Amino acid sequence: MTSSKENATTIDEIASGIYRISTPVPPTAIPGGFTFNQYLIVDDAPLLYHTGPRKMFPLISEAIASVIPVQSLRHIAFSHYEADECGSLNDFLALAPAAEPLCSTIAKMVTVDDIAIRPARALGDGEELSLGAHVVRWIDTPHLPHAWECGHLFETTTRTLFCGDLFTQGGHQHEPLTTQDILDPSEKMRSGLDYFSQTRQVSELMEKLALTSPRILACMHGSAWQGDGAALLRQLAGRLGA
Ligand SMILES: [Fe+2]
Ligand SMILES: [Fe+2]
């Protein structure tokens, strides 16, 4: 699915069994350009983290189909309830009969069990779920960076933190996985468009994420990043005034 076409959807393995799907949106459509990423964990119980906006469903389902049958998905997981996180939730649930939404307890209670065509499976804070070879853990982070129901998923065997909207980088040209700095580019984005809530818990919540000691930060917008994730999360906490 990786294509040389500048604006094509790409899919690349960034850790063992974990694929980053990315669709670039050029500056003619979104000022400065932007990317929407989803992550696919290929395992006995395949998991899709974020569906992408509903209008991108054909692109994202085609990218998944280049690796596994879309019908084999078992979990459609997401950080919080927004169009780019879960806009195609029902489209994927319709295509994959054994799939269920996977989200926070608050997301299930407040929204997902009302809008989804099948009930959600909620994971409590710190709860783990085996997918086969991979194990994912849910981490509640209400309002970080935004939304009451917000949380992040951590894959324990590859130490990949699916950090959602944290470290959002503008622009539409990004390599799948980088070791270059993503903090300054994401802070530049935040300075023009502050998408963080002003939660008083920011210090505790950022430290909770840092304590997972991730080796990969799987960002939803921009490149995924490889390095000392705990150190980078603590640097971001410092910039947030925590
Ligand atoms: Fe968001
Ligand atoms: Fe997002």
Side-chain angles (χ1 to χ4, degrees):
M1 195 67 201
T2 297
S3 166
S4 57
K5 278 198 259 165
E6 190 180 298
N7 296 322
T9 298
T10 56
I11 181 161
D12 297 271
E13 191 171 11
I14 58 154
S16 180
I18 299 181
Y19 293 77
R20 170 186 177 270
I21 301 162
S22 186
T23 303
V25 179
T28 46
I30 294 182
F34 206 51
T35 51
F36 292 94
N37 306 334
Q38 303 77 40
Y39 292 90
L40 174 68
I41 306 180
V42 175
D43 212 318
D44 296 342
L47 181 149
L48 178 67
Y49 196 64
H50 295 149
T51 69
R54 202 163 55 87
K55 288 176 183 164
M56 287 185 184
F57 175 69
L59 300 173
I60 293 153
S61 52
E62 188 188 344
I64 295 167
S66 72
V67 180
I68 57 166
V70 180
Q71 292 78 1
S72 70
L73 287 169
R74 291 293 303 280
H75 304 286
I76 313 295
F78 48 94
S79 164
H80 53 276
Y81 189 72
E82 279 183 331
D84 55 339
E85 276 80 5
C86 59
S88 303
L89 174 62
N90 283 333
D91 302 275
F92 279 107
L93 292 176
L95 256 186
E100 56 187 1
L102 188 70
C103 58
S104 73
T105 313
I106 297 291
K108 174 181 170 65
M109 179 178 76
V110 172
T111 302
V112 182
D113 277 355
D114 185 59
I115 60 89
I117 59 172
R118 286 197 291 281
R121 174 170 187 165
L123 288 179
D125 187 31
E127 190 175 345
E128 293 190 346
L129 173 68
S130 173
L131 306 177
H134 299 83
V135 176
V136 292
R137 181 189 306 157
W138 182 262
I139 304 166
D140 275 340
T141 59
H143 305 293
L144 181 71
H146 48 245
W148 178 28
E149 71 278 10
C150 189
H152 301 285
L153 201 67
F154 177 64
E155 201 290 306
T156 64
T157 67
T158 57
R159 307 208 74 77
T160 299
L161 179 65
F162 299 95
C163 62
D165 291 330
L166 298 175
F167 302 104
T168 287
Q169 307 139 57
H172 71 301
Q173 301 284 283
H174 295 281
E175 55 186 328
L177 183 64
T178 186
T179 55
Q180 304 288 309
D181 179 49
I182 60 166
L183 180 58
D184 280 340
S186 66
E187 283 296 278
K188 191 170 165 230
M189 168 92 195
R190 188 170 70 91
S191 71
L193 193 66
D194 190 0
Y195 58 92
F196 277 67
S197 74
Q198 304 299 323
T199 172
R200 284 166 302 201
Q201 306 298 320
V202 64
S203 177
E204 294 89 329
L205 294 175
M206 288 298 290
E207 187 58 23
K208 196 169 156 185
L209 294 174
L211 286 172
T212 62
S213 299
R215 286 202 295 255
I216 293 176
L217 297 172
C219 304
M220 188 178 183
H221 308 284
S223 292
W225 182 84
Q226 189 165 32
D228 182 345
L232 198 68
L233 285 158
R234 288 181 179 124
Q235 283 180 50
L236 174 58
R239 304 280 186 101
L240 294 168

